[in-house]
Structure formats: structure tokens, C-alpha cells
């Protein structure tokens, strides 16, 4: 018998003694992503493609579908009274959605449509999300403090990938589960339970066009992957939608690498709504995620839209990566002495 997302979350909550509000919040995400995916599927048919001509906080041109996805998520989440604060890639400021913040307990952060440059070429895109509980020891009326927590504090995180099928991947910190949308009944059905990343894969995922701008450590590491030093000759895959590139890495194994470069000295990806949910899922599935110095989930954010380097992958690739970084640090220290 097929298990729907709603059935699964009820069970998960009972196992974890979670609050019913969590189920209510996640059902808001589920509803919004069903609406978003319906528009994504019709993107070439209706007059929804094209730019609104506005730029978002990152200076990128917003696509109409980005705006639709953002509004749909906000509208379906702001009516959940337990959610006090919403933050989105598309909004420079966070949104306080309850009049009386003391009665709300959760903050939600999302990227409504990641990989939006892929929309008008019919390539996979996605939605990422993270949920935090309001910390105990903060001023309730200072909503930024609800959000600026390390990724370790996420109580739920996940993403939806709009690809050849629509797949919702989530974790409450008790394993990773994936649900595929059955369009004939409009329900997400459990298709991958307790996902474990393969310890080693055979793909690396990186925009190699920027190689000249990356630190030589990354190039040396790539060379090892390409030349069979990890007992396999790696092949490359890069779509330019983090959700698509990571989803493949989650299921097939391997490593996704987006380091700092000259244009983005901190890294290109956003910590709060891209790297954090991906890192949470990766760790829950037996993988690792780092910014090259420390685990993504241990980075203390100081800005809602801050960027980070992101290296995420399976146990074997990440162990080799960490060894490489440690070696580089040691030789730097030796040459300074
Ligand atoms: P957009 O959502 O603005 O298209 O950005 C997508 C993204 O942040 C991430 O999904 C990709 O991994 C990355 O950009 C691709 O960026 P490059 O074109 O710099 O490789």
C-alpha cells in the first residue's frame, strides 16, 4: 500500500514526539510546491516565462516564476500561526507574519526557485527550505535572532526537485526520505525511505569554467578524482541548479564542489537557504558538507543572505577532501615558520 507524505509525517512525529504544528507547517510547504510544480510544468505553455525586469537582493533578474513561487510559499505559510517569521531569497528583509510574535514559535527560510536561469530552457529547478525553532534565550521581538542560527539547529529541512518527476526530500533529523508526486492523484508518495548516500560515487559536480579562479587545492583534488587516485575514474555532471546537482549526488554518490572564487570571495551559494538545508540532508544521509574549513552546519551566520563555499558529498570523497585541506593547512604553517 502506498504511503503518502501526510501519513509518513504523522508517523515520524509520533516517533520523534514532535509537535503537530510541524506537520501543519510542512503541509503548507507541500501545498505550495504542488502549486509551483503545476506552473513549472506549464511554463512553456502559458505566458509566465520571461523577466519582470526587477532585480532581487543578489542583483539577479527575477523571472516571473520566481515571483509566483515566492508568493505561493509565503501565502500558504503565513496563515500557519505557529510561524512567526519567514525569510526568502527573493526578499531582502525578513517578513514578520504574526502580530503577536510571542504566540509563534517557528521561523522558516526558503529559496522558492533555485536554478531559475534554467526555467526557460526546461532544465530541472527546485525549492529548498529550512525550519528553525525560536531560540529560548532571545528577545521574541527581534525576529532576526530567530533566523540567524547555525544549521545544526534546523528542526526540519529539505527540498523539492522539479525534474522528470517532482520529488520532495525531507528530514526531521531522523533519516532522509523522498516522495514522488503522483500527478494522477495529486499526492506525494514515499519512494525512497531512509536514503543513505553511497559512500563513494563516480561523479563530481563543479563549474570547471571558473577553475582559473579557484585555489590550486581544488584543482589538485579534481586531478585526483579524474586520474583514478580514489580507485575510480570520475566523470563530471553540472546542471547549474544546486537542487538538481545535489539530488543526483545524494542518490548516485560523488561530490558537489562550489568553492570561493575571485568574483565571489565568500563562495557563490547562500548559506541560510541553499547550503544549510542541503548540508542537513547530506549529513542525515551519511554524507558530509563543508565550506573547506568547517562543517556547513557549524557556521554561525551573521547575515540572512550571506554566501558560502559548499563542498558536499559521500564519505570517501569528503574524507579525501578533508585530508587534502588539512595537508594544505600544515604546509602553509610550515612555510610560515
Ligand atoms: P539562481 O537560482 O539564481 O539561478 O542560482 C542558482 C545557483 O545559486 C545554484 O543553484 C547553482 O549551483 C549555481 O547558482 C550555479 O551558478 P554558476 O552559474 O555560477 O555555476
Amino acid at each position: 500500500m502506498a504511503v503518502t507524505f501526510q501519513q509518513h509525517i504523522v508517523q515520524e512525529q509520533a516517533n520523534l514526539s514532535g509537535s503537530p504544528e510541524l506537520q501543519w507547517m510542512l503541509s503548507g510547504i507541500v501545498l505550495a510546491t504542488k502549486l509551483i510544480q503545476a506552473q513549472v510544468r506549464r511554463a512553456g505553455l502559458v505566458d509566465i516565462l520571461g523577466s519582470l525586469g526587477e532585480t532581487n537582493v543578489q542583483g539577479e533578474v527575477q523571472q516571473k516564476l520566481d515571483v509566483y513561487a515566492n508568493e505561493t510559499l509565503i501565502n500558504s505559510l503565513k496563515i500557519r500561526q505557529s510561524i512567526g517569521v519567514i525569510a526568502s531569497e527573493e526578499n531582502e528583509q525578513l517578513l514578520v507574519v504574526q502580530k503577536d510574535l510571542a504566540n509563534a514559535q517557528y521561523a522558516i527560510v526558503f529559496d522558492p526557485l533555485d536554478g531559475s536561469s534554467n526555467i526557460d530552457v526546461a532544465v530541472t529547478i527546485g525549492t529548498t527550505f529550512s525550519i528553525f525553532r525560536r531560540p529560548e534565550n532571545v528577545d521574541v521581538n527581534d525576529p532576526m535572532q530567530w533566523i540567524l542560527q547555525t544549521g545544526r539547529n534546523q528542526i526540519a529541512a529539505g527540498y523539492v526537485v522539479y525534474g522528470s518527476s517532482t520529488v520532495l526530500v525531507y528530514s526531521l533529523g531522523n533519516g532522509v526520505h523522498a516522495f514522488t508526486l503522483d500527478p494522477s492523484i495529486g499526492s506525494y508518495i514515499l519512494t525512497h525511505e531512509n536514503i543513505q548516500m553511497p559512500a563513494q560515487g563516480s561523479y563530481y559536480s563543479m563549474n570547471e569554467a571558473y577553475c582559473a579562479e579557484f585555489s590550486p587545492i581544488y584543482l589538485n583534488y579534481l586531478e585526483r578524482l579524474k586520474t583514478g587516485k580514489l580507485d575510480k575514474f570520475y566523470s563530471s555532471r553540472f546542471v547549474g541548479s544546486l537542487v538538481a546537482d545535489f539530488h543526483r549526488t545524494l542518490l548516485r554518490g560523488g561530490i558537489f564542489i562550489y568553492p570561493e572564487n575571485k568574483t565571489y570571495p565568500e563562495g557563490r551559494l547562500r548559506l541560510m537557504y541553499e547550503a544549510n538545508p542541503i548540508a542537513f540532508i547530506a549529513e542525515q544521509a551519511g554524507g558530509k558538507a563543508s565550506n573547506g574549513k568547517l562543517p556547513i552546519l557549524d557556521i554561525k551566520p551573521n547575515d540572512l543572505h550571506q554566501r558560502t563555499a559548499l563542498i558536499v558529498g559521500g564519505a570517501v570523497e569528503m574524507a579525501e577532501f578533508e585530508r587534502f585541506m588539512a595537508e594544505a593547512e600544515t604546509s602553509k604553517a610550515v612555510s610560515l615558520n
Side-chain angles (χ1 to χ4, degrees), residues 180-256:
T180 303
L181 186 68
D182 181 342
S184 66
I185 58 169
S187 290
Y188 281 107
I189 303 294
L190 179 63
T191 45
H192 304 71
E193 196 164 19
N194 283 318
I195 297 174
Q196 281 295 303
M197 278 178 97
Q200 184 174 14
S202 48
Y203 295 115
Y204 67 87
S205 190
M206 182 190 208
N207 190 339
E208 282 189 85
Y210 305 139
C211 258
E213 296 192 13
F214 295 145
S215 145
I217 303 174
Y218 289 96
L219 305 187
N220 295 340
Y221 177 76
L222 267 195
E223 204 47 33
R224 291 183 68 74
L225 298 184
K226 291 180 192 175
T227 54
K229 299 293 185 305
L230 272 69
D231 296 331
K232 281 186 182 184
F233 290 88
Y234 281 67
S235 184
S236 96
R237 296 280 187 281
F238 189 79
V239 169
S241 286
L242 172 63
V243 174
D245 285 313
F246 174 72
H247 190 60
R248 184 194 52 254
T249 308
L250 177 73
L251 297 181
R252 296 271 181 269
I255 188 163
F256 172 93

Side-chain angles (χ1 to χ4, degrees), residues 56 60 66 89 111 113-118 207 210 238 240-243 245 256 258 264 268-270 274:
N56 69 9
E60 293 152 357
D66 285 16
E89 190 213 16
D111 183 350
L113 220 48
D114 174 66
S116 45
S117 62
N118 280 326
N207 190 339
Y210 305 139
F238 189 79
S241 286
L242 172 63
V243 174
D245 285 313
F256 172 93
Y258 206 125
Y264 296 106
R268 156 105 154 79
L269 301 174
R270 272 57 69 119
E274 292 185 313

Side-chain angles (χ1 to χ4, degrees), residues 22-202:
L22 195 53
Q23 181 189 341
W24 185 227
M25 287 187 283
L26 287 167
S27 74
I29 293 173
V30 162
L31 172 63
T33 61
K34 285 181 189 171
L35 295 167
I36 295 167
Q37 74 85 35
Q39 287 305 317
V40 169
R41 302 287 169 225
R42 298 170 63 222
L45 299 171
V46 292
D47 183 28
I48 202 162
L49 276 180
S51 161
L52 278 182
E54 295 165 5
T55 49
N56 69 9
V57 199
Q58 277 77 32
E60 293 152 357
V61 176
Q62 287 188 358
Q63 305 284 308
K64 280 184 182 175
L65 210 48
D66 285 16
V67 177
Y68 175 81
N70 196 36
E71 285 174 359
T72 303
L73 274 157
I74 292 170
N75 289 336
S76 82
L77 291 167
K78 72 180 182 192
I79 52 165
R80 267 76 179 161
Q81 286 176 351
S82 50
I83 301 179
V85 180
I86 294 178
S88 162
E89 190 213 16
E90 298 294 339
N91 297 90
E92 182 163 7
Q93 306 297 334
L94 49 76
L95 312 169
V96 175
V97 290
Q98 298 304 329
K99 281 203 182 84
D100 183 4
L101 272 179
N103 283 336
Q105 281 182 33
Y106 298 95
I108 182 154
V109 189
F110 51 77
D111 183 350
L113 220 48
D114 174 66
S116 45
S117 62
N118 280 326
I119 295 171
D120 51 3
V121 288
V123 170
T124 301
I125 48 184
T127 295
T128 51
F129 64 90
S130 259
I131 301 179
F132 290 97
R133 202 189 305 276
R134 158 161 58 89
E136 303 255 300
N137 50 352
V138 298
D139 175 0
V140 171
N141 294 310
D142 181 1
M144 199 49 102
Q145 291 196 44
W146 294 38
I147 300 269
L148 295 183
Q149 307 188 48
T150 62
R152 271 296 151 226
N153 290 352
Q154 292 170 101
I155 58 164
Y159 60 83
V160 176
V161 53
Y162 311 107
S164 54
S165 54
T166 300
V167 180
L168 167 71
V169 177
Y170 92 113
S171 176
L172 298 184
N174 182 37
V176 176
H177 315 289
F179 299 78
T180 303
L181 186 68
D182 181 342
S184 66
I185 58 169
S187 290
Y188 281 107
I189 303 294
L190 179 63
T191 45
H192 304 71
E193 196 164 19
N194 283 318
I195 297 174
Q196 281 295 303
M197 278 178 97
Q200 184 174 14
S202 48

